């Protein structure tokens, strides 16, 4: 039953004092971070109601664990929550756009893409800046997120958007071309 699983995950997340992990030696820290990752990965299968009941624990994972996979899994889980919850944790999520790990940035971009377009507009410089990231997956995720912005923002950054047609990676160019065709018909650049 989903409720029982949710309670198990909630208990596991809250019984491990994440701040205490920082005081353990490396082996203990790795053990607890592994537990956090397993718990967060399990939580990705929960329904939105159960996730919302346990929402206060996931941002702690974002802020306190050095485990990249746990941060990425927490972002994917948070991304399943409704926009009001996402707005509450926006600061913790937007910080991870600058993470040193590409898969964490990728997950952060997909989570950010589910936020209200007004909130995206406030962070447009950060998101558009990721179009120049060295990692292909980050650039393509940035394109997807940009596609969810309002018309005014898209027009403001038109040169960056069209500049993607010159990207050295074919995947990025193709993703940009598809996005541009959609944006051209909807926005009339």
């Amino acid at each position: 039953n989903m409720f029982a699983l949710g309670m198990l995950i909630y208990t596991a997340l809250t019984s491990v004092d994440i701040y205490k992990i920082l005081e353990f030696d490396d082996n203990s820290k790795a053990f607890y971070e592994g537990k956090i990752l397993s718990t967060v990965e399990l939580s990705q299968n929960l329904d939105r109601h159960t996730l919302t009941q346990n929402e206060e624990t996931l941002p702690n994972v974002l802020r306190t664990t050095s485990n990249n996979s746990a941060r990425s899994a927490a972002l994917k889980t948070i991304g399943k929550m409704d926009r009001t919850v996402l707005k509450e944790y926006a600061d913790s999520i937007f910080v991870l756009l600058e993470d040193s790990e590409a898969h964490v940035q990728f997950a952060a971009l997909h989570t950010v893409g589910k936020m209200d377009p007004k909130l995206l507009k406030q962070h447009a410089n950060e998101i558009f800046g990721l179009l120049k990231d060295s990692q292909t997956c980050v650039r393509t995720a940035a394109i997807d997120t940009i596609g969810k912005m309002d018309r005014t923002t898209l027009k403001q950054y038109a040169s960056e958007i069209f500049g993607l047609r010159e990207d050295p990676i074919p995947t990025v160019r193709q993703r940009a071309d598809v996005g541009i065709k959609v944006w051209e018909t909807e926005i009339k650049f």
Side-chain angles (χ1 to χ4, degrees):
N1 143 344
M2 290 304 286
F3 181 73
L5 180 59
M7 291 312 298
L8 172 69
I9 290 171
Y10 179 78
T11 303
L13 277 173
T14 56
S15 65
V16 175
D17 183 350
I18 295 172
Y19 296 104
K20 293 282 185 193
I21 291 172
L22 301 174
E23 299 172 13
F24 292 133
D25 60 41
D26 288 341
N27 290 334
S28 297
K29 186 175 178 182
F31 170 77
Y32 281 109
E33 285 185 344
K35 282 189 161 297
I36 291 168
L37 175 58
S38 298
T39 303
V40 170
E41 285 175 341
L42 274 174
S43 71
Q44 291 184 51
N45 297 320
L46 296 178
D47 61 81
R48 290 179 190 267
H49 175 71
T50 305
L51 286 173
T52 303
Q53 288 178 332
N54 300 304
E55 66 193 34
E56 69 277 357
T57 57
L58 291 168
N60 286 336
V61 174
L62 296 179
R63 288 189 297 268
T64 62
T65 185
S66 62
N67 185 309
N68 301 324
S69 296
R71 286 196 316 278
S72 180
L75 283 163
K76 289 175 187 173
T77 302
I78 290 170
K80 293 180 181 182
M81 296 179 184
D82 62 48
R83 283 187 171 176
T84 56
V85 175
L86 288 174
K87 186 176 181 180
E88 287 180 44
Y89 301 118
D91 291 340
S92 297
I93 296 166
F94 278 108
V95 165
L96 293 175
L97 291 177
E98 298 175 19
D99 197 272
S100 62
E101 290 295 322
H103 69 278
V104 174
Q105 289 177 294
F106 178 85
L109 279 162
H110 279 285
T111 302
V112 163
K114 296 173 183 176
M115 293 181 180
D116 186 294
K118 291 176 188 172
L119 193 55
L120 292 178
K121 186 175 186 167
Q122 293 173 15
H123 295 273
N125 284 335
E126 296 165 64
I127 296 166
F128 276 93
L130 292 172
L131 293 175
K132 297 175 183 161
D133 195 90
S134 63
Q135 297 295 316
T136 301
C137 68
V138 173
R139 292 198 309 278
T140 57
I143 293 167
D144 293 343
T145 302
I146 288 165
K148 297 171 183 170
M149 292 184 173
D150 63 67
R151 294 174 181 196
T152 307
T153 306
L154 288 172
K155 283 182 179 181
Q156 181 181 351
Y157 290 93
S159 63
E160 285 90 340
I161 292 169
F162 284 103
L164 293 171
R165 289 183 165 162
E166 305 301 319
D167 194 277
I169 305 296
T171 307
V172 175
R173 288 194 307 268
Q174 291 167 353
R175 183 76 57 94
D177 280 339
V178 169
I180 289 169
K181 285 176 186 168
V182 170
W183 301 331
E184 283 178 331
T185 59
E186 291 179 6
I187 298 170
K188 312 246 187 302
F189 278 112

